[in-house]
Coordinates of all heavy atoms in Angstrom, one line a residue:
Y210 N -168.0 -172.9 91.3 CA -167.8 -172.1 90.0 C -166.4 -171.7 89.9 O -166.1 -171.0 88.9 CB -168.8 -170.8 90.2 CG -170.2 -171.1 90.2 CD1 -171.0 -170.9 91.4 CD2 -170.8 -171.4 89.0 CE1 -172.3 -171.2 91.3 CE2 -172.2 -171.7 88.9 CZ -173.0 -171.6 90.1 OH -174.3 -171.8 90.2
G211 N -165.5 -172.2 90.6 CA -164.2 -171.9 90.4 C -163.7 -172.5 88.9 O -164.2 -173.6 88.6
T212 N -163.0 -171.8 88.3 CA -162.6 -172.1 86.8 C -163.7 -172.1 85.8 O -163.4 -172.5 84.6 CB -161.8 -173.5 86.8 OG1 -162.8 -174.5 86.8 CG2 -160.8 -173.7 87.7
S213 N -164.9 -171.8 86.2 CA -166.0 -171.8 85.2 C -165.9 -170.5 84.3 O -165.3 -169.6 84.6 CB -167.3 -171.9 86.0 OG -167.5 -170.7 86.8
V214 N -166.7 -170.7 83.3 CA -166.7 -169.6 82.2 C -168.0 -169.0 81.9 O -168.4 -167.9 82.0 CB -166.1 -170.2 80.9 CG1 -166.2 -169.1 79.8 CG2 -164.6 -170.4 81.1
I215 N -169.0 -169.9 81.5 CA -170.3 -169.6 81.0 C -171.1 -168.9 82.2 O -171.8 -167.9 81.9 CB -171.0 -170.8 80.5 CG1 -170.2 -171.4 79.4 CG2 -172.4 -170.4 80.1 CD1 -170.8 -172.7 78.7
P216 N -171.1 -169.4 83.5 CA -172.0 -168.7 84.4 C -171.7 -167.3 84.6 O -172.7 -166.4 84.6 CB -171.7 -169.4 85.7 CG -171.3 -170.9 85.3 CD -170.6 -170.6 84.0
I217 N -170.5 -166.8 84.6 CA -170.2 -165.4 84.8 C -170.6 -164.6 83.6 O -170.9 -163.4 83.8 CB -168.7 -165.3 85.3 CG1 -168.5 -163.8 85.8 CG2 -167.7 -165.5 84.2 CD1 -169.3 -163.3 87.0
L218 N -170.4 -165.2 82.4 CA -170.8 -164.5 81.2 C -172.2 -164.2 81.2 O -172.6 -163.1 80.8 CB -170.3 -165.1 80.0 CG -168.7 -165.5 79.8 CD1 -168.5 -166.1 78.4 CD2 -168.0 -164.0 79.8
L219 N -173.0 -165.1 81.5 CA -174.4 -165.0 81.7 C -174.8 -163.9 82.8 O -175.7 -163.1 82.5 CB -175.2 -166.3 81.9 CG -175.1 -167.3 80.9 CD1 -175.7 -168.7 81.4 CD2 -175.9 -166.9 79.5
I220 N -174.1 -163.9 83.8 CA -174.4 -162.9 84.9 C -174.0 -161.6 84.5 O -174.9 -160.6 84.8 CB -173.6 -163.5 86.2 CG1 -174.3 -164.7 86.7 CG2 -173.7 -162.3 87.3 CD1 -173.5 -165.3 87.8
V221 N -172.9 -161.3 83.9 CA -172.5 -160.0 83.5 C -173.5 -159.5 82.3 O -173.8 -158.3 82.4 CB -171.1 -160.0 83.0 CG1 -170.7 -158.6 82.5 CG2 -170.2 -160.3 84.2
F222 N -173.9 -160.4 81.5 CA -174.9 -160.0 80.4 C -176.1 -159.5 81.0 O -176.8 -158.4 80.7 CB -175.2 -161.2 79.6 CG -176.1 -160.9 78.4 CD1 -175.5 -160.2 77.3 CD2 -177.3 -161.3 78.4 CE1 -176.4 -160.0 76.3 CE2 -178.3 -161.0 77.3 CZ -177.8 -160.3 76.3
A223 N -176.6 -160.2 82.1 CA -177.8 -159.7 82.9 C -177.5 -158.4 83.5 O -178.3 -157.5 83.6 CB -178.3 -160.8 83.9
Q224 N -176.3 -158.3 84.1 CA -176.0 -157.1 84.9 C -176.0 -155.8 84.0 O -176.6 -154.8 84.4 CB -174.6 -157.3 85.4 CG -174.0 -155.9 86.0 CD -172.6 -155.9 86.1 OE1 -171.8 -156.9 86.0 NE2 -172.0 -154.6 86.1
S225 N -175.6 -156.1 82.8 CA -175.7 -154.9 81.8 C -176.9 -154.3 81.6 O -177.1 -153.1 81.4 CB -175.0 -155.2 80.4 OG -175.9 -156.2 79.8
Y226 N -178.1 -155.2 81.6 CA -179.3 -154.6 81.4 C -180.0 -154.2 82.7 O -180.7 -153.1 82.7 CB -180.2 -155.8 80.8 CG -180.1 -156.0 79.4 CD1 -179.1 -157.0 78.9 CD2 -180.7 -155.3 78.4 CE1 -178.9 -157.3 77.6 CE2 -180.5 -155.5 77.1 CZ -179.6 -156.5 76.6 OH -179.4 -156.8 75.3
I227 N -179.7 -154.9 83.8 CA -180.2 -154.4 85.1 C -179.7 -153.1 85.5 O -180.3 -152.1 85.9 CB -180.1 -155.5 86.2 CG1 -180.8 -156.8 85.9 CG2 -180.4 -155.0 87.5 CD1 -180.5 -158.0 86.7
E228 N -178.3 -153.0 85.4 CA -177.6 -151.7 85.7 C -178.0 -150.6 84.8 O -178.3 -149.5 85.3 CB -176.1 -151.9 85.6 CG -175.3 -150.7 86.0 CD -173.8 -151.0 85.8 OE1 -173.3 -152.1 85.6 OE2 -173.1 -149.9 85.8
G229 N -178.1 -150.8 83.5 CA -178.6 -149.9 82.5 C -180.0 -149.3 82.9 O -180.3 -148.2 82.7
F230 N -180.8 -150.3 83.2 CA -182.2 -149.9 83.5 C -182.3 -149.1 84.8 O -182.9 -148.0 84.8 CB -183.1 -151.2 83.8 CG -184.5 -150.8 84.2 CD1 -185.5 -150.3 83.4 CD2 -184.9 -151.1 85.5 CE1 -186.7 -150.1 83.7 CE2 -186.1 -150.8 86.0 CZ -187.1 -150.3 85.0
M231 N -181.5 -149.5 85.9 CA -181.5 -148.7 87.0 C -180.8 -147.2 86.8 O -181.4 -146.2 87.4 CB -180.7 -149.4 88.1 CG -181.3 -150.6 88.6 SD -183.0 -150.3 89.4 CE -182.5 -149.0 90.6
R232 N -180.0 -147.1 86.0 CA -179.4 -145.8 85.7 C -180.3 -144.9 85.1 O -180.4 -143.6 85.3 CB -178.0 -145.9 84.8 CG -176.8 -146.5 85.5 CD -175.6 -146.4 84.6 NE -174.5 -147.0 85.3 CZ -173.7 -146.3 86.2 NH1 -174.0 -145.1 86.5 NH2 -172.7 -147.0 86.7
K233 N -181.3 -145.4 84.3 CA -182.3 -144.6 83.5 C -183.3 -144.1 84.5 O -183.8 -143.0 84.3 CB -182.9 -145.5 82.4 CG -181.9 -145.7 81.2 CD -182.7 -146.4 80.1 CE -181.8 -146.7 78.9 NZ -182.5 -147.6 78.0
I234 N -183.7 -145.0 85.4 CA -184.9 -144.5 86.2 C -184.5 -143.9 87.6 O -185.4 -143.5 88.3 CB -185.8 -145.8 86.5 CG1 -185.1 -147.0 87.4 CG2 -186.3 -146.4 85.2 CD1 -186.0 -148.0 87.9
T235 N -183.2 -144.0 88.0 CA -182.9 -143.6 89.3 C -182.4 -142.1 89.3 O -181.7 -141.7 88.3 CB -181.7 -144.3 89.9 OG1 -182.1 -145.7 89.8 CG2 -181.4 -144.0 91.3
P236 N -182.9 -141.2 90.1 CA -182.6 -139.8 90.1 C -181.1 -139.7 90.4 O -180.5 -140.5 91.0 CB -183.3 -139.3 91.3 CG -184.5 -140.2 91.5 CD -184.1 -141.5 91.1
N237 N -180.4 -138.7 89.8 CA -179.0 -138.5 89.9 C -178.5 -138.3 91.3 O -177.5 -138.8 91.7 CB -178.6 -137.3 89.1 CG -178.6 -137.4 87.6 OD1 -178.7 -138.6 87.1 ND2 -178.8 -136.4 86.8
S238 N -179.4 -137.8 92.1 CA -179.0 -137.5 93.6 C -178.8 -138.8 94.4 O -178.0 -138.7 95.4 CB -180.0 -136.6 94.2 OG -181.4 -137.3 94.2
V239 N -179.4 -139.8 94.0 CA -179.2 -141.1 94.7 C -178.7 -142.2 93.9 O -178.6 -143.4 94.3 CB -180.6 -141.5 95.4 CG1 -181.0 -140.5 96.5 CG2 -181.6 -141.6 94.4
K240 N -178.3 -141.8 92.7 CA -177.9 -143.0 91.7 C -176.6 -143.7 92.3 O -176.6 -144.9 92.2 CB -177.5 -142.3 90.3 CG -177.1 -143.2 89.2 CD -177.1 -142.6 88.0 CE -178.4 -142.0 87.4 NZ -178.3 -141.4 86.1
I241 N -175.8 -143.0 93.0 CA -174.5 -143.7 93.3 C -174.8 -144.7 94.5 O -173.9 -145.5 94.7 CB -173.5 -142.6 93.9 CG1 -172.1 -143.2 94.1 CG2 -174.0 -141.9 95.3 CD1 -171.1 -142.2 94.4
I242 N -176.0 -144.7 95.1 CA -176.3 -145.5 96.2 C -177.1 -146.6 95.6 O -176.9 -147.9 95.9 CB -177.0 -144.8 97.4 CG1 -176.2 -143.8 98.0 CG2 -177.6 -145.9 98.4 CD1 -176.9 -142.9 99.0
F243 N -178.3 -146.3 94.9 CA -179.2 -147.3 94.7 C -178.9 -148.1 93.4 O -179.3 -149.3 93.3 CB -180.6 -146.6 94.4 CG -181.2 -146.2 95.8 CD1 -181.2 -144.9 96.1 CD2 -182.0 -147.2 96.5 CE1 -181.8 -144.6 97.3 CE2 -182.5 -146.8 97.6 CZ -182.4 -145.5 98.1
V244 N -178.2 -147.5 92.4 CA -177.8 -148.4 91.3 C -177.0 -149.5 91.6 O -177.3 -150.7 91.2 CB -177.1 -147.4 90.2 CG1 -176.6 -148.3 89.1 CG2 -178.1 -146.5 89.6
P245 N -175.8 -149.4 92.3 CA -175.1 -150.5 92.7 C -175.8 -151.4 93.6 O -175.7 -152.7 93.6 CB -173.7 -149.9 93.3 CG -174.1 -148.5 93.6 CD -175.2 -148.1 92.7
M246 N -176.5 -150.9 94.5 CA -177.2 -151.9 95.5 C -178.2 -152.7 94.8 O -178.2 -154.0 95.0 CB -178.0 -150.9 96.6 CG -178.8 -151.7 97.5 SD -180.0 -150.8 98.5 CE -181.3 -150.7 97.4
V247 N -179.1 -152.1 93.9 CA -180.1 -152.9 93.2 C -179.4 -154.0 92.3 O -179.8 -155.1 92.2 CB -181.2 -152.1 92.5 CG1 -182.0 -153.0 91.7 CG2 -181.9 -151.2 93.4
T248 N -178.4 -153.4 91.7 CA -177.6 -154.3 90.7 C -177.1 -155.5 91.3 O -177.1 -156.6 90.9 CB -176.5 -153.4 89.9 OG1 -177.1 -152.4 89.3 CG2 -175.8 -154.4 88.9
I249 N -176.4 -155.3 92.4 CA -175.7 -156.4 93.1 C -176.8 -157.3 93.7 O -176.7 -158.6 93.6 CB -174.8 -155.9 94.3 CG1 -173.6 -155.2 93.7 CG2 -174.3 -157.0 95.2 CD1 -172.7 -154.5 94.6
F250 N -177.8 -156.8 94.4 CA -178.8 -157.6 95.0 C -179.6 -158.5 93.9 O -179.6 -159.7 94.1 CB -179.8 -156.7 95.8 CG -180.9 -157.6 96.5 CD1 -180.7 -158.2 97.6 CD2 -182.3 -157.4 95.8 CE1 -181.7 -158.9 98.2 CE2 -183.2 -158.1 96.6 CZ -183.0 -158.8 97.7
V251 N -180.1 -157.8 92.9 CA -181.0 -158.4 92.0 C -180.1 -159.5 91.2 O -180.5 -160.6 90.9 CB -181.8 -157.5 91.1 CG1 -182.5 -158.3 89.9 CG2 -182.6 -156.7 92.0
T252 N -179.0 -159.0 90.6 CA -178.2 -159.8 89.8 C -177.5 -160.9 90.4 O -177.4 -162.0 90.0 CB -177.0 -159.0 89.1 OG1 -177.6 -157.8 88.5 CG2 -176.5 -159.8 88.0
G253 N -177.1 -160.7 91.8 CA -176.5 -161.6 92.6 C -177.5 -162.8 92.9 O -177.1 -164.0 92.6
L254 N -178.7 -162.6 93.3 CA -179.7 -163.6 93.4 C -180.0 -164.3 92.1 O -180.1 -165.5 92.1 CB -181.0 -163.0 94.1 CG -181.0 -162.6 95.6 CD1 -182.2 -161.9 96.0 CD2 -180.6 -163.8 96.5
L255 N -180.2 -163.5 91.1 CA -180.5 -164.1 89.8 C -179.4 -165.1 89.4 O -179.6 -166.1 88.7 CB -180.7 -163.0 88.8 CG -181.3 -163.4 87.3 CD1 -182.7 -163.8 87.6 CD2 -181.2 -162.1 86.4
G256 N -178.2 -164.7 89.6 CA -177.0 -165.5 89.3 C -176.9 -166.7 90.1 O -176.7 -167.8 89.5
L257 N -177.2 -166.7 91.4 CA -177.1 -167.9 92.3 C -178.3 -168.8 92.0 O -178.0 -170.1 92.0 CB -177.0 -167.4 93.7 CG -175.6 -166.9 94.2 CD1 -176.0 -166.4 95.6 CD2 -174.6 -167.9 94.1
L258 N -179.4 -168.2 91.6 CA -180.6 -169.1 91.6 C -180.9 -169.5 90.2 O -181.5 -170.7 90.0 CB -181.8 -168.3 92.1 CG -181.8 -168.0 93.7 CD1 -183.0 -167.1 94.0 CD2 -181.7 -169.2 94.5
I259 N -180.6 -168.8 89.2 CA -181.0 -169.2 87.8 C -179.8 -169.2 86.8 O -179.5 -170.2 86.2 CB -182.0 -168.1 87.3 CG1 -183.3 -168.3 88.1 CG2 -182.4 -168.5 85.8 CD1 -184.3 -167.2 87.8
L260 N -179.2 -168.2 86.7 CA -178.1 -168.1 85.6 C -177.0 -169.0 86.0 O -176.3 -169.5 85.0 CB -177.7 -166.5 85.5 CG -178.8 -165.6 85.0 CD1 -178.2 -164.2 85.0 CD2 -179.4 -166.0 83.7
G261 N -176.5 -168.9 87.2 CA -175.3 -169.7 87.5 C -175.6 -171.2 87.3 O -174.8 -172.0 86.6
P262 N -176.8 -171.8 87.7 CA -177.1 -173.1 87.5 C -177.2 -173.4 86.0 O -176.7 -174.5 85.5 CB -178.5 -173.3 88.1 CG -178.4 -172.3 89.4 CD -177.6 -171.2 88.8

Side-chain angles (χ1 to χ4, degrees):
Y210 291 108
T212 74
S213 65
V214 172
I215 299 176
I217 192 60
L218 296 181
L219 294 176
I220 289 170
V221 175
F222 184 76
Q224 174 204 339
S225 67
Y226 284 94
I227 294 170
E228 181 184 346
F230 175 75
M231 288 303 300
R232 287 187 181 279
K233 288 181 180 179
I234 67 171
T235 305
N237 289 334
S238 59
V239 293
K240 187 172 291 185
I241 193 172
I242 298 173
F243 286 101
V244 171
M246 181 193 78
V247 175
T248 301
I249 292 174
F250 179 73
V251 175
T252 313
L254 286 176
L255 194 63
L257 287 175
L258 297 175
I259 300 175
L260 298 178

